[in-house]
Amino acid sequence: MFQINDNYQKLPGSYLFSTIGKKVNAYQQANPDKNIIRLGIGDVTQPIAPAIIEAMHKAVDEMGHAETFHGYAPDLGYEFLRKAIVENDYKARGCEVEADEVFVSDGAKSDSANIQEIFAQNNRIAVCDPVYPVYVDSNVMAGRTGTYDKNTETWSDVIYMPCTAENNFVPEFPKETPDMIYLCLPNNPTGTTLTKDQLQEWVDYANRVGAVIIYDAAYEAYISEDNVAHSIYECKGARNCAIELRSFSKNAGFTGVRLGFTVVPKDLKCGDVSLNAMWARRHGTKFNGAPYIVQRAGEAVYSEAGKAQLKEQVAYYMKNAKTIKDGLKDAGYTVFGGVNAPYIWLKTPDQMTSWEFFDYLLEKANVVGTPGSGFGPSGEGYFRLTAFGNYENTVQALERIKAL
Ligand code: MLT
């Protein structure tokens, strides 16, 4: 008789955004006349920029002719894309990253879930609390997190680093020494970030204790302040301790197109073993590459026209962020984030739990957000709104919230 991977049985509930989706659909079915505004999941609403669409059309046409047809993509991704990434995301910022350290994928979500595979099962992971749920859940599936305590909503073998208003959402070095440290900066869900100096301290810490940092920079395009690093490789010593994950979802609207990449520097080693070689082995075995058409779309992100159009798109979403932040402040809420990230993190009013506020907002204002406790116990009493809606809906959502 076959057996299953029992670790899956340990996972409490369903994936956060699936739970929210089900709740909202049930409410909409029961109240078909209500116009619900969705500021929950961080899904983009603006169309793909014209320069990218043009590149995709061209690539589609190429696929229709024998001379320009493309089959399987190269293991690491097409060189034209990896070179554009290296030049624009790294060399332009003074970071040392080579094209053979870039692994093109179908997005940062899958990479952030898969990367743990190349580490030993008994590694201790450290996560910020609250945290993007994929980091913890993927380690649960791998059997790395111990047992779940329903009361504290924590895993026995996970090291939690609380990020709350009390510490300005800056994680402190944990008392127990971790082997793998997940950092998402700018942060999902709190919308806050670290200064470059604070990030450098984390890099120094990781090198000191022999830990690896899994650095999720999916929201990098939203950084507006000068003292915030766009890549962890801006920090000295990061090539020896950090893997960086990047996404085209939030900077270029590829949530439905799917494209991302992971950087594994050749200097990152465990003894003599190169993690770059390990990830290359894993990538070659388990992944057959992002589609040619999509990689050409990714290349267009770095074209002059693409860059200009995407700058406007990011500004559009950041205008929403300001609308939400200012509107909530006017209504008396305590708010964080929204300056270097497309997320606004607010304190729930009147001691409401995160889920109580979720229901209240859905029923009274027909606005969907994300309960902070869904991201971890320290998220209790907080709530996340996304700036990825369209502007008109965002303004309307705030009017409704102010009128409560
Ligand atoms: C979020 O809402 O946290 C994100 O959209 C989830 C994701 O990027 O997978």
Side-chain angles (χ1 to χ4, degrees):
M1 175 73 183
F2 67 86
Q3 294 189 338
I4 55 164
N5 176 352
D6 263 342
N7 296 315
Y8 277 68
Q9 303 307 105
K10 298 181 193 165
L11 287 163
S14 55
Y15 182 57
L16 174 63
F17 293 105
S18 314
T19 309
I20 292 171
K22 277 187 207 135
K23 257 181 164 280
V24 174
N25 288 345
Y27 180 81
Q28 183 78 84
Q29 268 180 6
N31 302 276
D33 55 317
K34 301 282 190 205
N35 167 20
I36 297 176
I37 299 179
R38 293 163 199 261
L39 304 180
I41 190 162
D43 195 3
V44 293
T45 50
Q46 294 308 293
I48 303 283
I52 300 169
I53 291 293
E54 198 185 309
M56 286 172 99
H57 278 160
K58 189 163 167 266
V60 167
D61 288 342
E62 283 180 51
M63 294 299 269
H65 296 96
E67 315 80 64
T68 46
F69 167 79
H70 286 79
Y72 291 128
D75 271 5
L76 268 62
Y78 285 100
E79 205 169 311
F80 60 75
L81 177 57
R82 288 185 291 117
K83 275 191 170 160
I85 289 169
V86 165
E87 290 307 320
N88 291 278
D89 285 328
Y90 296 108
K91 297 247 148 88
R93 295 200 179 278
C95 302
E96 192 196 332
V97 169
E98 301 301 328
D100 59 0
E101 297 174 321
V102 175
F103 297 78
V104 175
S105 72
D106 64 349
K109 180 179 183 177
S110 26
D111 281 352
S112 73
N114 291 330
I115 195 74
Q116 48 75 30
E117 268 187 48
I118 61 169
F119 297 96
Q121 205 189 11
N122 61 1
N123 277 354
R124 291 291 303 276
I125 70 160
V127 294
C128 292
D129 172 23
V131 69
Y132 179 47
V134 173
Y135 311 153
V136 176
D137 287 4
S138 57
N139 277 285
V140 173
M141 291 168 180
R144 201 174 280 119
T145 54
T147 51
Y148 187 67
D149 181 336
K150 266 200 197 127
N151 297 321
T152 58
E153 296 179 357
T154 56
W155 293 90
S156 60
D157 291 353
V158 173
I159 300 170
Y160 291 90
M161 305 182 290
C163 295
T164 60
E166 284 69 46
N167 60 11
N168 256 325
F169 304 96
V170 177
E172 284 153 29
F173 300 138
K175 291 193 182 71
E176 297 168 277
T177 304
D179 303 300
M180 296 158 63
I181 302 164
Y182 286 84
L183 292 179
C184 173
L185 295 168
N187 186 251
N188 178 15
T190 66
T192 60
T193 195
L194 303 190
T195 64
K196 189 172 165 185
D197 290 346
Q198 288 169 328
L199 184 61
Q200 181 67 57
E201 286 177 24
W202 274 96
V203 169
D204 295 343
Y205 169 80
N207 276 323
R208 203 161 58 237
V209 302
V212 63
I213 296 177
I214 317 278
Y215 190 77
D216 184 346
Y219 299 94
E220 167 276 331
Y222 292 86
I223 294 171
S224 69
E225 293 180 320
D226 288 342
N227 63 348
V228 179
H230 288 250
S231 162
I232 195 164
Y233 304 116
E234 289 178 41
C235 295
K236 277 202 196 78
R239 285 183 54 85
N240 299 104
C241 68
I243 290 172
E244 182 163 292
L245 314 173
R246 289 280 189 112
S247 167
F248 287 82
S249 289
K250 319 290 171 165
N251 65 332
F254 280 26
T255 53
V257 175
R258 305 310 307 151
L259 190 68
F261 63 91
T262 287
V263 175
V264 188
K266 281 173 278 180
D267 297 346
L268 182 56
K269 293 200 169 142
C270 181
D272 290 340
V273 180
S274 150
L275 271 71
N276 178 287
M278 284 181 80
W279 191 241
R281 185 71 175 83
R282 192 261 173 214
H283 215 61
T285 304
K286 293 200 176 184
F287 187 61
N288 245 343
Y292 173 73
I293 297 159
V294 173
Q295 294 199 44
R296 280 292 182 200
E299 183 190 29
V301 165
Y302 300 103
S303 66
E304 285 315 309
K307 281 189 214 170
Q309 290 161 8
L310 293 177
K311 203 169 159 198
E312 270 178 41
Q313 209 168 75
V314 167
Y316 174 95
Y317 290 131
M318 287 314 272
K319 186 170 153 201
N320 288 348
K322 188 165 168 14
T323 303
I324 298 172
K325 197 164 179 171
D326 292 350
L328 288 172
K329 273 193 197 156
D330 287 350
Y333 287 84
T334 307
V335 282
F336 308 94
V339 175
N340 293 297
Y343 293 125
I344 285 82
W345 189 242
L346 60 117
K347 199 91 195 86
T348 58
D350 306 327
Q351 310 286 320
M352 274 191 227
T353 67
S354 300
W355 278 107
E356 279 166 359
F357 189 67
F358 173 89
D359 289 333
Y360 173 75
L361 214 58
L362 179 59
E363 283 159 28
K364 304 282 187 246
N366 304 142
V367 172
V368 181
T370 309
S373 57
F375 298 100
S378 296
E380 183 56 279
Y382 289 94
F383 198 76
R384 192 192 80 177
L385 290 174
T386 161
F388 285 126
N390 72 40
Y391 181 65
E392 294 70 29
N393 278 349
T394 304
V395 170
Q396 210 193 336
L398 265 295
E399 274 165 15
R400 290 186 198 171
I401 293 173
K402 282 190 203 168
L404 285 174

